[in-house]
Amino acid sequence: MAMAAILGVVGLLAFGFTKNPKLVNSPLVGKSAPPFEITEMNTGERLTSGMLKGTPYLLNFWASWCQACRTEAPYLKAAYEFYEKRSNGRARVIGIAIQDTPENARAFAKQFGKEYFLALDNDRGDISLNWGLYGVPETFFVDAKGIISHKHIGALDWDDVQREMERMLSPPKKVQ
């Protein structure tokens, strides 16, 4: 009996290790993005999800202590430069630091040249909880209708950013 229990546990662990944790499905994909209200950590500018209606956006959750966040930082900066700054706000790039201090988050942003809208989640982590975060980094792509079109777990690369941003910005294909 004990041997059967041990084999059962080992079997469950072995099955779990065959799954890619980055492919965890989010129940939020295809649904309306949770509402939020944030304050830019450098300027004090306020932004609500309602203010983004009609504009697709990339929402990245990050932290200064996160090594993978360092890896993806250049791609998020490039996304801001290409999709928001050069195209007059065709899409927005927004970052929310979680479980971080304002000082550390600002230092990280300065080190990596982050110029897009950056905010901090509150001490309770209300925004990250509402968005169903597993950890950082995690990125959501939200279309112009406010629907989450994709969730990416782990560090983004340029191919990830470009594929999902272009998908959101492409006009819908006509059915014939």
Side-chain angles (χ1 to χ4, degrees), residues 108-124:
F108 182 92
K110 184 176 181 181
Q111 178 184 356
F112 289 98
K114 292 183 170 203
E115 298 175 7
Y116 50 91
F117 196 102
L118 297 170
L120 293 166
D121 199 352
N122 64 27
D123 291 339
R124 293 184 312 268

Side-chain angles (χ1 to χ4, degrees), residues 33-44:
F36 62 86
E37 182 176 333
I38 53 178
T39 303
E40 212 287 332
M41 65 184 190
N42 294 306
T43 66

Side-chain angles (χ1 to χ4, degrees), residues 5 51 86 102 138-139:
M51 296 164 73
R86 280 193 229 157
E138 287 187 27
T139 305

Side-chain angles (χ1 to χ4, degrees), residues 61-72 100 108 112 135-138:
F61 289 91
W62 61 283
S64 64
W65 44 263
C66 164
Q67 189 60 42
C69 298
R70 295 175 180 278
T71 302
E72 73 177 5
D100 219 331
F108 182 92
F112 289 98
V136 287
E138 287 187 27

Side-chain angles (χ1 to χ4, degrees), residues 77-147:
K77 180 180 178 182
Y80 167 72
E81 291 287 334
F82 187 78
Y83 291 104
E84 183 172 348
K85 193 172 180 181
R86 280 193 229 157
S87 67
N88 293 324
R90 190 170 144 214
R92 296 286 307 265
V93 176
I94 302 162
I96 299 177
I98 67 166
Q99 300 173 353
D100 219 331
T101 66
E103 299 79 24
N104 290 344
R106 283 188 189 99
F108 182 92
K110 184 176 181 181
Q111 178 184 356
F112 289 98
K114 292 183 170 203
E115 298 175 7
Y116 50 91
F117 196 102
L118 297 170
L120 293 166
D121 199 352
N122 64 27
D123 291 339
R124 293 184 312 268
D126 290 335
I127 298 170
S128 57
L129 286 172
N130 289 342
W131 283 74
L133 249 63
Y134 295 106
V136 287
E138 287 187 27
T139 305
F140 294 84
F141 295 85
V142 182
D143 69 19
K145 294 178 183 173
I147 305 298

Side-chain angles (χ1 to χ4, degrees), residues 45-65:
E45 179 186 350
R46 187 176 147 270
L47 179 68
T48 67
S49 50
M51 296 164 73
L52 294 167
K53 290 292 183 195
T55 304
Y57 62 96
L58 175 162
L59 178 60
N60 175 258
F61 289 91
W62 61 283
S64 64
W65 44 263

